[in-house]
Amino acid sequence: MTDSPPIKRVLYVVSLFPCWSETFIVREIQTLIADGVDVRILSLKPPSERLVQVDAKALSERTHYPDLGLGGVISTAMTVMRHPFSSLTCVAAIVADMWRTPTVLLKSLVALSRGLQQVRWLNGFDPQLVHAHWATYPSTVAWALARITGRRFSFTCHAHDIFLDHQLLSRKVEEAALAVTISRYNIDWLSQHVSAQALAKLAVIHCGVDVRRTACQLDGRNGQHIVAVGRLDPIKGFDVLIDALHLLSERGIDYRCTVIGEGPLRGELEAKSRAAGINDRIEWVGALPQEAVHAALREATIFALPCQVATDGNRDGIPVALMEAMASGCAVVTTAVSGIPELVEDNITGLVVSERDALALADALQRLFEDAGLRRRLATAARARVEADFDAQTEARKLRTLMSSAVNGRKRLLVVIDEMEVGGSQRQIVQLLTHLNRERWQPELVYFREHSFLIDKLEQAGVRVHFIPKRGRIDPGFFLALARVLRRGRYDIVHAFSLTAEIWTLLALLMQWQRPPFVGSIRGLYLNQTRWFWRIKRFVLSRSAAVISNSAAGADVAARLGRHVRGMIDVVDNGVALPEPCTTQERSALRALVGAPVAGMFALFVGRLVDQKNVFCLLDAIAALPAEQRPWLALVGDGPLRARLSAHADKIGIGAQTVFLGERTDSTSLMQIADFLVLPSHEEGMSNVLLEAMAAGCPVIASAVGGNTELVSHEHSGLLFPSDDRAALAQCITRLTGDAALRKSLSCQARVRAESQHSNSALALSTQKVYERCIDADDARARSARRPPARPTSESDHA
């Protein structure tokens, strides 16, 4: 992927800052600041920690705290009044997700209110990204703030916020501009239990340690000292450690154990150690400053952390304490829980035992006590492992790159169309979405009916497809489903390709608190449409950030009948792929397959069998020719007129040499073996069929309507005839059947025209320019709508 402009301003949302157990967040923020990112911190709780790390204290001036008094209530109310719809929809989503857990619901609403009071301050800072650590209350607030202020949000999920609490987690994964977690294990678990999108959407950014400030000491350690660091709760497995230490005592092994950390199980664990008769060998020192923890890790022989899955399903992620021990040169013993095997590999970077197996843990501890060479080998490899994959600065810079890409990188595009049967617009959608620059765009498609092989092509190209079945003209379920896709997709731009798609998409966008730019389409001339059609079309045009027509003729008609400024309609020609030429053997085999004569003339029609295509004119023109001059005719496509056309061909005496092939996936190959293609339409925008025929080197005869005259230069790249003039069409057919040199000349010129002016890359590039113009204009409007701060922030704001 090409480098994105570096992100400049990020707001971090956390539950409490500083928090002594979350030093990894401090290291991450420090690295971002050192690399030029202006980071501010929104703490949802006022400072309350007795123990504050030195590095965290240095970030106090960047931290903003909630006002728990009347001023905070007023600020929250003012935000709700300014943004009533988006604020209340956030509340509704939280209530709908969490009503079964009243305590979590209440805490989420309290956290939301504290976040809402910060909107004015947030707009003054103007972050490009609102990032939260933990997928619980902080990310709920980040999600809501992003919706209300029209910004992007991201979050990092860790452990209990994945395995224990699922607060809007599926929606957060879907709607986040960037979703991060700390291990590959977490991604696999989330994809199986929370959201299938997790597998493709989440990135791994390890929590890390500052290896530059962590000295590795392999010699001079106390040969009998065990250290364990962690919160005293069930997932750390300290109860199993006590049982293992009791076994060591029974074996007569001398040791001393220091447990660093606080938590709800401290009293229970101390009682357990007294009951085991080993309380004199274990020192429960509580929480310590980071410097004291590092000193203990440098002095100890073994670091033990027998993590386990708790009865409620909670478990650790990859404990930072393990990384710190490994970086310091201490040999480690742990378990294969969650993502720990991604850090510690058994007998290579440490010893790994089964969870809740006190005997195995005692054996591993004894083995390390007795084998100094093993301790040194494991510790050396462990330090190298941390340096390679768990360095805090390296991981923070990876996160910065991902943040920059989330803000400046790929834009999310949604294309909407009613049906995906094989037609010109549908083919152009495939050409467009498969040729967009994927480093810049993340395309998706919504359609309502008519699956075809074109959907398979899109999915094979990695385009996400949403099928929302529409039953009847008015379908509330369909409408709500479409609105949900638009809401959760957080698209940067939406492009509709048909009037039905346009009107339903616009109505669904009215339900969104953040509405992306909408692009309308002109895909034909619409000359025979009713007055109501044009009334609806005017509504669409007036609410479109841009309108793309595939022909100048279509743009002119839309400007006149749609009462739209012609200069606001972009003309983007259809694109087409250039097929490889068929060999003589392939031509003969395909002719035989469809029943075409080996030596006679082969005329081809490709398109929907509907009134607009005027196929009756083609049949009548062929019937008017002398029998010996009539070409064999194949019609590719389907539609409501198929039975009538077949009966008409029999009636006028050409049924024996006319074949209806139906829908086919090889129409381009048929164009390569046909002697010429005829498109006798009453009206056309920019015909995809004509383009494909020209690119295939198939001479074309077309009615002189709409975009056909822009595409075909008469007697240079094809032949044109007046619409519905059967005699003129018969004359064109006679000319091509009797003049091989003319066929060859038209074929060569047509292919040159298609290659030089109608490539798929040109289609994608021109369309991208329209999209980018709309997004830039929308961003500029959003920036101008944000109010500046009432006064510059000062230190008093952080108190």
Side-chain angles (χ1 to χ4, degrees):
M1 182 177 290
T2 56
D3 293 336
S4 299
I7 193 166
K8 297 178 180 179
R9 297 176 306 281
V10 178
L11 174 65
Y12 267 64
V13 181
V14 295
S15 289
L16 174 65
F17 192 90
C19 180
W20 76 271
S21 63
E22 296 181 356
T23 54
F24 53 90
I25 297 178
V26 174
R27 287 191 285 265
E28 186 175 280
I29 292 174
Q30 285 179 321
T31 301
L32 293 176
I33 293 172
D35 286 350
V37 183
D38 188 358
V39 179
R40 306 294 171 88
I41 304 163
L42 173 57
S43 174
L44 299 178
K45 299 176 183 177
S48 60
E49 291 279 328
R50 177 182 58 83
L51 179 63
V52 178
Q53 310 290 359
V54 174
D55 289 343
K57 189 178 295 185
L59 297 174
S60 61
E61 292 187 355
R62 294 178 174 268
T63 307
H64 201 78
Y65 295 103
D67 182 347
L68 303 185
L70 180 60
V73 174
I74 294 173
S75 296
T76 300
M78 292 296 292
T79 297
V80 174
M81 286 190 290
R82 291 192 187 105
H83 309 276
F85 182 74
S86 53
S87 299
L88 293 177
T89 51
C90 289
V91 171
I94 292 170
V95 171
D97 185 76
M98 305 176 198
W99 64 271
R100 294 179 183 85
T101 52
T103 302
V104 173
L105 172 60
L106 180 60
K107 288 182 178 179
S108 296
L109 293 177
V110 169
L112 176 63
S113 68
R114 293 177 179 180
L116 292 181
Q117 68 177 249
Q118 309 299 334
V119 166
R120 192 178 184 190
W121 169 78
L122 182 151
N123 283 334
F125 174 47
D126 193 23
Q128 296 168 280
L129 190 70
V130 182
H131 183 76
H133 263 282
W134 307 100
T136 48
Y137 309 107
S139 62
T140 298
V141 173
W143 166 79
L145 289 176
R147 289 186 166 201
I148 291 168
T149 64
R151 290 177 170 83
R152 297 173 182 270
F153 98 97
S154 59
F155 69 99
T156 299
C157 50
H158 295 260
H160 74 82
D161 53 337
I162 296 174
F163 307 119
L164 201 59
D165 302 308
H166 294 170
Q167 300 174 20
L168 289 170
L169 187 51
S170 177
R171 177 172 291 184
K172 291 171 184 175
V173 169
E174 292 178 5
E175 297 185 17
L178 170 64
V180 171
T181 191
I182 62 169
S183 70
R184 186 70 218 177
Y185 175 91
N186 285 358
I187 293 180
D188 294 338
W189 194 94
L190 285 166
S191 66
Q192 294 173 25
H193 296 88
V194 175
S195 172
Q197 290 193 41
L199 200 59
K201 188 99 184 259
L202 268 80
V204 174
I205 296 293
H206 296 128
C207 291
V209 297
D210 190 346
V211 296
R212 294 157 190 81
R213 293 170 58 182
T214 305
C216 179
Q217 183 173 321
L218 298 177
D219 301 314
R221 292 178 174 270
N222 185 322
Q224 303 301 117
H225 187 194
I226 301 169
V227 167
V229 180
R231 180 172 165 76
L232 305 183
D233 63 19
I235 66 172
K236 298 299 183 180
F238 289 132
D239 56 334
V240 180
L241 177 60
I242 292 172
D243 290 337
L245 295 177
H246 177 58
L247 291 173
L248 291 182
S249 296
E250 290 183 336
R251 296 174 186 178
I253 297 174
D254 186 29
Y255 66 87
R256 176 170 60 91
C257 180
T258 301
V259 179
I260 303 173
E262 277 293 351
L265 295 184
R266 177 162 181 170
E268 180 181 327
L269 292 171
E270 288 184 345
K272 183 180 177 70
S273 64
R274 285 194 298 270
I278 59 172
N279 196 52
D280 59 330
R281 297 193 177 195
I282 302 178
E283 185 180 10
W284 306 87
V285 298
L288 295 179
Q290 196 69 18
E291 296 76 13
V293 175
H294 289 165
L297 293 175
R298 287 193 298 271
E299 189 268 342
T301 309
I302 303 171
F303 178 88
L305 194 62
C307 299
Q308 59 192 15
V309 179
T311 54
D312 60 2
N314 195 19
R315 68 204 73 180
D316 231 320
I318 305 180
V320 174
L322 260 178
M323 304 173 200
E324 292 176 333
M326 293 167 69
S328 72
C330 187
V332 302
V333 180
T334 187
T335 54
V337 169
S338 188
I340 293 176
E342 299 173 42
L343 171 67
V344 184
E345 189 173 356
D346 186 36
N347 208 38
I348 296 177
T349 55
L351 296 184
V352 180
V353 300
S354 300
E355 62 175 309
R356 291 189 168 87
D357 191 339
L359 178 60
L361 179 59
D363 290 343
L365 293 171
Q366 181 176 349
R367 182 182 172 196
L368 287 176
F369 276 143
E370 295 173 350
D371 191 340
L374 174 63
R375 294 198 304 269
R376 187 180 186 89
R377 175 172 64 82
L378 295 178
T380 302
R383 170 73 185 200
R385 177 81 171 109
V386 172
E387 288 180 348
D389 295 311
F390 294 87
D391 173 54
Q393 289 190 17
T394 301
E395 296 303 300
R397 285 173 178 139
K398 289 179 184 177
L399 178 61
R400 179 193 176 207
T401 299
L402 291 175
M403 287 178 166
S404 299
S405 296
V407 171
N408 304 303
R410 292 205 301 171
K411 302 297 183 183
R412 299 196 68 178
L413 161 69
L414 181 69
V415 167
V416 187
I417 193 166
D418 50 354
E419 57 190 32
M420 276 303 290
E421 64 180 356
V422 183
S425 292
Q426 291 79 2
R427 290 180 181 273
Q428 285 305 302
I429 287 173
V430 174
Q431 306 286 25
L432 171 64
L433 298 188
T434 55
H435 286 83
L436 286 171
N437 180 358
R438 293 300 182 87
E439 294 183 353
R440 174 66 174 160
W441 299 97
Q442 181 181 332
E444 299 181 23
L445 173 76
V446 163
Y447 74 107
F448 313 154
R449 59 181 182 269
E450 302 294 342
H451 179 97
S452 74
F453 70 91
L454 296 176
I455 296 297
D456 301 328
K457 280 190 173 183
L458 288 172
E459 292 179 335
Q460 289 166 8
V463 176
R464 188 181 182 196
V465 177
H466 308 264
F467 173 57
I468 307 177
K470 183 174 180 292
R471 302 173 179 88
R473 294 196 174 189
I474 305 297
D475 184 350
F478 154 80
F479 178 70
L480 292 175
L482 177 60
R484 184 163 55 251
V485 169
L486 288 167
R487 181 180 69 248
R488 293 189 175 183
R490 304 278 288 178
Y491 299 103
D492 296 283
I493 194 158
V494 178
H495 184 181
F497 262 72
S498 65
L499 184 64
T500 302
E502 288 172 331
I503 192 65
W504 284 112
T505 303
L506 277 173
L507 292 174
L509 284 173
L510 292 176
M511 298 180 64
Q512 312 303 314
W513 48 87
Q514 182 181 1
R515 298 169 194 164
F518 174 82
V519 178
S521 297
I522 305 295
R523 306 299 304 175
L525 302 184
Y526 313 127
L527 294 175
N528 297 320
Q529 295 293 346
T530 65
R531 183 179 301 175
W532 276 107
F533 173 92
W534 281 109
R535 285 179 178 174
I536 297 172
K537 196 69 177 178
R538 287 175 203 136
F539 170 82
V540 171
L541 296 175
S542 66
R543 284 157 178 79
S544 299
V547 180
I548 296 178
S549 174
N550 64 348
S551 70
D556 294 340
V557 172
R560 177 167 51 88
L561 300 181
R563 300 175 188 172
H564 200 66
V565 178
R566 175 62 178 84
M568 295 180 66
I569 303 177
D570 292 275
V571 176
V572 177
D573 291 342
N574 286 353
V576 66
L578 295 173
E580 292 295 326
C582 279
T583 65
T584 302
Q585 185 176 3
E586 290 171 337
R587 288 171 57 88
S588 299
L590 189 52
R591 277 205 173 211
L593 181 64
V594 298
V598 175
M601 286 289 107
F602 174 8
L604 180 66
F605 167 86
V606 178
R608 287 274 290 156
L609 302 182
V610 293
D611 285 330
Q612 176 197 336
K613 299 300 181 180
N614 198 17
V615 183
F616 286 104
C617 175
L618 172 58
L619 297 179
D620 291 342
I622 291 177
L625 296 174
E628 66 275 7
Q629 295 182 12
R630 294 173 183 168
W632 185 83
L633 175 65
L635 296 102
V636 174
D638 212 336
L641 297 183
R642 177 166 178 167
R644 286 180 54 197
L645 289 167
S646 180
H648 187 69
D650 291 336
K651 180 180 178 180
I652 61 178
I654 61 171
Q657 62 196 77
T658 302
V659 60
F660 291 81
L661 298 177
E663 295 285 5
R664 296 182 67 98
T665 60
D666 60 350
S667 59
T668 301
S669 298
L670 293 176
M671 292 172 182
Q672 290 182 290
I673 66 170
D675 292 292
F676 57 90
L677 176 137
V678 183
L679 188 66
S681 308
H682 288 302
E683 63 174 85
E684 286 286 349
M686 180 67 67
S687 170
N688 205 58
V689 167
L690 279 186
L691 262 180
E692 290 177 346
M694 294 168 69
C698 181
V700 298
I701 302 172
S703 53
V705 297
N708 291 356
T709 59
E710 301 170 39
L711 193 56
V712 178
S713 176
H714 184 55
E715 296 192 341
H716 180 72
S717 56
L719 298 180
L720 295 173
F721 69 95
S723 176
D724 212 34
D725 189 333
R726 287 159 169 75
L729 174 55
Q731 185 178 5
C732 289
I733 293 173
T734 299
R735 287 186 65 188
L736 284 190
T737 56
D739 192 339
L742 177 61
R743 294 198 302 272
K744 184 175 182 179
S745 174
L746 296 179
S747 170
C748 293
Q749 295 299 328
R751 185 174 173 89
V752 169
R753 168 67 185 267
E755 183 175 7
S756 62
Q757 300 183 34
H758 298 279
S759 67
N760 284 323
S761 58
L763 162 72
L765 182 60
S766 297
T767 307
Q768 286 171 192
K769 289 180 179 178
V770 177
Y771 293 162
E772 288 168 351
R773 187 183 73 226
C774 294
I775 291 173
D776 290 344
D778 189 63
D779 288 344
R781 283 192 295 270
R783 285 193 298 271
S784 65
R786 293 169 187 153
R787 294 188 177 185
R791 57 184 174 82
T793 57
S794 65
E795 291 187 10
S796 61
D797 291 318
H798 309 299

